[in-house]
Amino acid sequence: MDRKEFLLALDETLELEPGTLTGDETLESLEAWDSLAVISFIALVDERLNIVVEGEKLARAKTVSDLLALAGVAVTA
């Protein structure tokens, strides 16, 4: 899964319009980023990429790019 595909999947997971996320957003600026979104992100990464995200690392994530890095998706365009 490349960056664009992952961002589209994350848009869908957070119930955002496709193409909303670019990676530059801060998580606190996203109204959809709540405890349910955190669980959904963990499930997305596990199901689609077979990666288990550590809770401590996820708690330190501040941006969508941080989420991309946790998922092992290249952050650069």
Side-chain angles (χ1 to χ4, degrees), residues 2-57:
D2 67 17
R3 176 186 171 89
K4 183 177 180 179
E5 291 171 328
F6 188 80
L7 287 172
L8 287 172
L10 190 55
D11 283 336
E12 182 180 336
T13 298
L14 298 179
E15 298 180 356
L16 300 170
E17 290 294 320
T20 298
L21 298 175
T22 64
D24 297 325
E25 300 82 7
T26 61
L27 297 176
E28 67 181 25
S29 72
L30 299 174
E31 186 175 317
W33 188 253
D34 57 15
S35 58
L36 181 57
V38 170
I39 293 167
S40 297
F41 171 78
I42 291 169
L44 170 71
V45 174
D46 183 33
E47 291 172 6
R48 301 242 183 131
L49 303 172
N50 200 30
I51 294 173
V52 176
V53 177
E54 295 177 32
E56 289 180 19
K57 290 181 180 180

